[in-house]
């Protein structure tokens, strides 16, 4: 296991910054990026193995050293040192000219990259990240390049170390599901032709929305799809924990502006409190009083009351999409899914309609997104669940 070094040990000495090469300084910035602005773990599906040099392999901090990592990240002295180091680096680089370098223009280009990266990290270290908050920018695109969806979300720290508030931080499974939806909307029933009459509103619900990534991506995607230009869409993002719900509302407000509401008055997105354990015994709020077409993330009793049942006039039945990480901490949830929901092939076609597993798929992601450690993968299982007499 690697030993994590604090910035005061890892970074080139402030007084000697000018003596270090561009490559060494880029390595130092990569280290600070991993420390103070890490990407969401397990958020990149494996497609192409990208080789890297041995020198790059230790630049990402290991997430299994979470306690040590958090200690360094929350250390005010180390953060202050990082800010002074970045400030000095920017000042010295801005004073460098092409004549001073006496090297090709490509070196000056790298110098400009250094300044940009250092300035970005300086804003992070001195800004909201200093309070334990991280602002993340997500960009998802279709394989053919025809669609592009962007979202900016704020992750906040756990509420007094209450692990019930883990939804206040973006999970890798949400990134994976959002990416899959943008790449192939039709797979998730997000094409207007699959839902019959264009006059009927499309209702999308997310259970356990967390930071709201999936709901926001769906909303922005449907705004951009030509087939939904004249179709009313309503997205509801729900969660339980107060601090998570407050952050969810803040993220929705930041991404769905008043300008959007004025331009696309037929589309709307709301957030709402939802307690799965008492859903079947308490009155439903108005935003949950109608059936939904598309869902993300789970519980059977809620689904039976919320998933729109099939009808003769519906071409594409409603579906519930579930992504779960395959790791010991989620073993109970993943085992429960297949004990609660039968496989579609195991259901009596002459019996009453019930929710079943229509399809199941395993997804493998690189834990850190840099493909440097092939043994450190994050695996998910993706279920598509729907009514038994509605199988496609």
């Amino acid at each position: 296991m690697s030993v994590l070094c604090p910035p005061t040990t890892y970074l080139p000495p402030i007084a000697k910054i000018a003596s270090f090469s561009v490559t060494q300084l880029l390595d130092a910035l990569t280290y600070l990026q991993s420390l103070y602005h890490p990407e969401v773990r397990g958020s990149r599906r494996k497609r192409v193995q990208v080789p890297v040099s041995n020198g790059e392999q230790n630049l990402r901090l290991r997430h299994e050293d979470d306690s040590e990592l958090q200690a360094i990240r929350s250390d005010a002295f180390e953060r202050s040192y990082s800010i002074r180091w970045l400030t000095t680096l920017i000042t010295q680089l801005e004073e460098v000219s092409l004549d001073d370098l006496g090297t090709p223009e490509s070196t000056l280009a790298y110098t400009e990259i250094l300044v940009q990266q250092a300035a970005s990290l300086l804003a992070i270290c001195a800004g909201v990240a200093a309070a334990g908050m991280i602002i993340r920018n997500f960009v998802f695109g279709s394989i053919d390049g025809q669609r592009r969806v962007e979202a900016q979300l704020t992750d906040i720290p756990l509420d007094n170390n209450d692990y019930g508030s883990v939804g206040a931080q973006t999970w890798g499974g949400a990134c994976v599901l959002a990416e899959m939806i943008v790449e192939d909307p039709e797979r998730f029933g997000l094409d207007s032709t699959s839902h019959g009459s264009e006059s009927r509103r499309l209702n999308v619900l997310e259970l356990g929305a967390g930071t709201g990534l999936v709901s926001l991506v769906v909303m922005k995607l449907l705004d951009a799809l030509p087939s939904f230009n004249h179709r009313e869409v309503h997205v509801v993002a729900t969660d339980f924990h107060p601090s998570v719900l407050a952050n969810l509302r803040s993220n929705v407000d930041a991404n769905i502006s008043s300008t959007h509401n004025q331009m696309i008055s037929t589309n709307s997105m709301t957030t709402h409190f939802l307690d799965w354990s008492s859903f079947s015994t308490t009155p439903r709020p108005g935003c949950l009083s109608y059936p939904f077409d598309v869902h993300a993330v789970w519980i059977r009793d809620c689904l039976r009351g919320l998933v729109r049942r099939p009808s003769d006039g519906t071409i594409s039945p409603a579906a519930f999409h579930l992504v779960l990480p395959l790791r010991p901490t989620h073993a109970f949830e993943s085992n429960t899914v297949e004990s609660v929901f039968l496989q579609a092939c195991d259901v009596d076609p002459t019996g009453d309609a019930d929710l079943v597993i229509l399809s199941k798929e395993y997804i493998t992601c690189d834990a850190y997104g840099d493909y440097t450690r092939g043994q450190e993968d994050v695996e998910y299982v993706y279920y598509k669940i729907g009514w038994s007499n509605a199988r496609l």
Side-chain angles (χ1 to χ4, degrees), residues 33-314:
Q33 177 81 17
S34 296
L35 178 60
Y36 292 116
H37 198 242
E39 72 172 32
V40 179
R41 184 176 185 271
S43 60
R44 294 193 186 186
R45 287 179 291 161
K46 280 196 167 182
R47 293 196 180 98
V48 179
Q49 295 298 313
V50 180
V52 297
S53 67
N54 291 334
E56 294 175 304
Q57 297 209 12
N58 293 321
L59 299 179
R60 301 302 199 279
L61 301 180
R62 300 171 65 90
H63 286 254
E64 61 265 37
D65 300 322
D66 276 343
S67 59
E68 190 176 355
L69 178 60
Q70 290 299 333
I72 296 175
R73 186 177 292 155
S74 60
D75 189 309
F77 178 81
E78 292 296 338
R79 183 182 296 275
S80 176
Y81 181 83
S82 298
I83 291 173
R84 287 193 292 119
W85 189 90
L86 288 166
T87 302
T88 303
L89 175 64
I90 293 170
T91 300
Q92 293 193 11
L93 289 175
E94 287 180 338
E95 294 173 353
V96 174
S97 67
L98 189 59
D99 292 335
D100 295 330
L101 289 170
T103 51
E105 290 189 15
S106 59
T107 301
L108 185 59
Y110 280 117
T111 302
E112 292 174 349
I113 293 173
L114 279 171
V115 172
Q116 292 172 2
Q117 291 189 6
S120 176
L121 279 168
L122 181 59
I124 291 169
C125 290
V128 293
M133 301 170 67
I134 295 178
I135 295 177
R136 300 189 182 280
N137 292 289
F138 296 94
V139 179
F140 302 100
S142 58
I143 296 175
D144 59 9
Q146 305 249 336
R147 291 182 296 275
R148 179 184 172 91
V149 176
E150 300 182 19
Q152 184 180 86
L153 302 179
T154 298
D155 285 8
I156 61 176
L158 297 183
D159 189 2
N160 293 320
N161 291 320
D162 179 359
Y163 286 90
S165 65
V166 292
Q169 298 170 359
T170 305
W171 286 47
C175 301
V176 170
L177 184 56
E179 182 181 57
M180 293 169 64
I181 290 171
V182 175
E183 286 183 355
D184 189 1
E186 293 79 10
R187 180 182 184 184
F188 295 85
L190 297 177
D191 60 314
S192 61
T193 58
S194 66
H195 292 282
S197 172
E198 289 190 2
S199 62
R200 190 181 67 77
R201 184 173 74 176
L202 175 67
N203 299 315
V204 181
L205 171 68
E206 184 175 11
L207 304 178
T211 59
L213 178 62
V214 175
S215 291
L216 285 166
V217 165
V218 168
M219 185 67 180
K220 293 188 174 191
L221 173 65
L222 295 181
D223 283 348
L225 289 178
S227 58
F228 278 87
N229 285 347
H230 305 290
R231 179 79 180 278
E232 185 178 358
V233 174
H234 184 49
V235 177
V236 181
T238 66
D239 216 297
F240 171 80
H241 198 281
S243 65
V244 176
L245 191 57
N247 188 55
L248 171 62
R249 287 171 177 157
S250 177
N251 281 333
V252 170
D253 290 342
N255 283 269
I256 308 298
S257 64
S258 57
T259 304
H260 169 279
N261 294 331
Q262 293 170 3
M263 294 176 59
I264 313 174
S265 58
T266 58
N267 293 357
S268 62
M269 180 172 179
T270 59
T271 62
H272 205 281
F273 169 86
L274 179 61
D275 183 353
W276 303 339
S277 65
S278 62
F279 176 80
S280 60
T281 59
T282 56
R284 296 190 200 177
C287 65
L288 299 178
S289 62
Y290 41 80
F292 287 83
D293 299 278
V294 184
H295 307 250
V297 187
W298 90 297
I299 203 149
R300 186 182 63 179
D301 289 344
C302 288
L303 297 183
R304 284 178 171 167
L306 291 171
V307 177
R308 178 174 50 78
R309 291 177 177 267
S311 63
D312 293 337
T314 302

